[in-house]
Amino acid sequence: MEQRALALQELRTAAELNAELRELKARSRLTYRQLEERAARHGELLPRSTLADVLRNGSLPRPELLAAFVRACGEGDDVDEWLAARQRAAESSAPSSGSGPSAENDPGPVRRLTNARRARRRRVRRRRRGGHGRLLGRPA
């Protein structure tokens, strides 16, 4: 148990925290549904779809979701260490104040990449349908 506490103290990024969360779920050997039910028995909300999204996408969980998850996995004594690790990860991923005024409004490269993917998928679908959408009564 002490080794895990040391590992939690070394976590600095959201990716590292997420990897540890996935490991915690694996150690618990519980399904998302079982985790949700365990949390509900203790009066906590732990939606399995939200938990699955957090673990899949690598996003930083809300503090209350993290605490409910850790308790449902059976490691309730370590909640404070997990929350401290989450705080460090949040601070390391926070944008610096010197990044300029336009940084808040800029969607960043991920957004542009997503739009480019959507456009490419539309073109591929049109080609698979046999060319142009106009033939099917749809705008091109």
Side-chain angles (χ1 to χ4, degrees):
M1 199 71 129
E2 286 181 30
Q3 188 178 11
R4 280 190 220 137
L6 288 174
L8 288 175
Q9 290 174 0
E10 294 174 4
L11 297 180
R12 296 285 182 254
T13 66
E16 292 171 347
L17 177 66
N18 199 270
E20 285 295 318
L21 289 172
R22 286 192 301 269
E23 187 177 312
L24 175 61
K25 183 190 178 296
R27 278 195 316 265
S28 76
R29 295 184 175 170
L30 297 169
T31 65
Y32 291 114
R33 183 180 302 272
Q34 290 169 326
L35 289 167
E36 182 181 43
E37 290 169 354
R38 271 187 167 198
R41 274 182 267 171
H42 296 287
E44 294 181 302
L45 185 63
L46 183 62
R48 62 181 176 264
S49 59
T50 304
L51 179 58
D53 287 344
V54 165
L55 296 180
R56 181 179 45 249
N57 298 331
S59 58
L60 212 55
R62 294 182 327 268
E64 58 274 10
L65 183 99
L66 175 61
F69 173 64
V70 171
R71 282 190 280 272
C73 286
E75 296 194 12
D77 294 340
D78 297 334
V79 169
D80 291 335
E81 287 85 2
W82 281 98
L83 290 173
R86 185 214 174 272
Q87 184 62 37
R88 285 191 302 277
E91 289 169 358
S92 73
S93 65
S96 64
S97 60
S99 61
S102 64
E104 289 180 22
N105 299 328
D106 184 19
V110 174
R111 178 81 172 161
R112 287 188 291 273
L113 180 61
T114 301
N115 289 338
R117 284 183 185 165
R118 285 185 190 137
R120 182 177 183 283
R121 286 181 184 159
R122 281 193 296 267
R123 288 192 304 271
V124 168
R125 277 192 231 119
R126 284 184 197 136
R127 282 189 221 129
R128 286 183 183 160
R129 282 195 304 243
H132 304 286
R134 281 181 240 142
L135 298 175
L136 301 173
R138 297 183 192 122

